[in-house]
Amino acid sequence: MIHVISGTGTDVGKTVATAALAARELAQGRAVAIYKPTQTGVEGSEPGDVRNIAAWLDCPGRLSTAEGVRLREPMAPVDAALVAGGQGAVQALPGLDEHCERIRRLAAEYDTVLVEGAGGLLVTLGPEGANIADLASAVDARLVVVTRPDLGTLNHTALTLEAAVNRGFSRGTLLLGSFPDHPTALHCRNLQNLRAQAEHHRWHFAGAIPELTMKGDIKEQLLSAGLSLSILTAGAGS
């Protein structure tokens, strides 16, 4: 089973959501692979998102992580590749077919593959113009969209869900990436409104990941968060 985890934008909690879903799958006895098509904002041996997840969950043997490419600048992949290339050149980026091949190989070895996107649903992965939605469609993945509970989230979420449905994802999962322990009236209203948005599009609303301290027993926090979600698993994304 393949899930592509995207978001309504950057810094919405995709990495923590991916980690929580991985913890859930591992706890249910499944072997998990996590793939990040493009990791930006890191260089050399610096840890990226999937390496952080591997450290948090500490489950060697049953959890594998991989990146398609890593780029130093914290930008959209194509722009980061342009800057890395210098003088008008472009650092080579994997094409859609290469990403799909890697994901399918992982799916043949692991029970669950979680693909964490970069930024939002329509972020371009390479110079040929393919985006996260195209990747999810190409590998017949279940699409998970992570959103925020804060001001501005309703419009961003509505636009993302509309784009997903128009691209053929008649089914999918929406979840909140980080819900505060002491929510304001705004957070509570947004929780209800986001649930209604998912239902309007006939998507599944999985609930909210609580705001994690990321201190102490991080693995247990992620497992608790993952088990609190209800993820759509039956049927393809479209």
Side-chain angles (χ1 to χ4, degrees), residues 21-132:
L21 294 176
R24 172 194 177 101
E25 293 293 293
L26 290 166
Q28 294 174 349
R30 300 185 182 97
V32 178
I34 303 174
Y35 180 66
K36 180 88 173 178
T38 307
Q39 173 67 67
T40 61
V42 298
E43 60 182 334
S45 60
E46 292 178 348
D49 293 334
V50 296
R51 294 187 192 178
N52 284 333
I53 294 174
W56 294 339
L57 297 181
D58 189 24
C59 193
R62 295 180 50 233
L63 174 64
S64 170
T65 62
E67 298 170 346
V69 65
R70 53 173 39 208
L71 299 159
R72 183 181 66 233
E73 299 297 332
M75 301 177 177
V78 174
D79 292 315
L82 281 167
V83 172
Q87 298 182 344
V90 182
Q91 179 175 325
L93 292 173
L96 179 63
D97 289 344
E98 187 174 346
H99 287 307
C100 291
E101 182 182 352
R102 291 177 179 180
I103 292 167
R104 291 188 182 112
R105 283 204 306 264
L106 291 171
E109 295 182 39
Y110 292 85
D111 302 311
T112 302
V113 179
L114 304 175
V115 181
E116 184 190 343
L121 183 65
L122 302 186
V123 167
T124 302
L125 292 172
E128 80 278 17
N131 56 40
I132 300 297

